Amino acid sequence: MDLVIGPLDLSAHVDEALAVQAAAFGLGPDEVAVRRQIVLRHMTCPGARALGATTPEGDLAGFVYGMPNDRTHWWSTVVEPYLRAQHNEAWLEDSFVITELHVHPAHQNRGAGRSLITTITDTAAEPRSILSAIDTESPARGLYRSLGYTDLARQVMFPSAPRPYAVMGAHLPLRRP
């Protein structure tokens, strides 16, 4: 991997990060505009932090950000009934949430996503991590499983999201190959 993983001032580089997310996730300009406000709001939350994967030329090729989970945050309020139905609501306590993890398609399948998520969770004070991912057998879900994440709830519907998500959790530190 020719990328360097390090701290990212996500508020200052939000547009670069969202360009990576748009390329990786297929987002249009309207979705990017909405997500921009969400990212900027998230970065004001206690404990929120981000890492970037940069090329030797200094271009952002990937990023991850997360924060200690807060049950009053929107994401938690949406996933809580699904987790409760599976007797997994305790995962909302004392967990570090991976809010977003994206690698530009030109840099995927080279270990950047694995390095980003393991590096950010290695410094988490919480004993476990949770995240949500589109509920399909994707390379992302394969990566998360390889790191020790398991399904806590499936077919989770977020308002305005056209496809269902899975909520996954793992004990920290994440599994290494």
Side-chain angles (χ1 to χ4, degrees), residues 15-153:
D15 294 321
E16 293 166 73
L18 289 173
V20 169
Q21 184 175 0
F25 219 55
L27 301 179
D30 292 343
E31 291 170 294
V32 168
V34 168
R35 289 175 185 252
R36 187 177 197 281
Q37 299 310 310
I38 293 168
V39 170
L40 293 173
R41 185 177 71 245
H42 281 160
M43 294 316 295
T44 67
C45 295
R49 59 189 191 281
L51 296 174
T54 55
T55 66
E57 300 77 32
D59 296 322
L60 190 64
F63 74 99
V64 63
Y65 83 92
M67 65 194 85
N69 191 52
D70 181 335
R71 289 186 79 140
T72 66
H73 287 168
W74 176 84
W75 182 85
S76 286
T77 65
V78 173
V79 303
E80 193 270 336
Y82 294 93
L83 291 172
R84 187 177 346 104
Q86 299 300 317
H87 308 289
N88 286 324
E89 69 272 18
W91 278 84
L92 293 172
E93 301 295 335
D94 216 14
S95 289
F96 185 81
V97 179
I98 299 299
T99 309
E100 299 288 351
L101 169 62
H102 299 286
V103 176
H104 191 281
H107 297 278
Q108 290 177 358
N109 301 311
R110 297 188 209 158
R114 178 180 301 276
S115 292
L116 285 164
I117 194 170
T118 57
T119 303
I120 201 167
T121 58
D122 280 352
T123 59
E126 298 75 19
R128 54 195 174 182
S129 173
I130 54 178
L131 57 79
S132 55
I134 293 175
D135 194 359
T136 185
E137 292 312 310
S138 64
R141 298 247 301 156
L143 168 64
Y144 302 145
R145 281 196 192 94
S146 77
L147 294 167
Y149 285 90
T150 59
D151 292 340
L152 301 175

Side-chain angles (χ1 to χ4, degrees), residues 24-26 133-136 138 155-166:
F25 219 55
I134 293 175
D135 194 359
T136 185
S138 64
Q155 299 297 302
V156 175
M157 294 305 299
F158 288 100
S160 78
R163 302 189 320 199
Y165 279 70

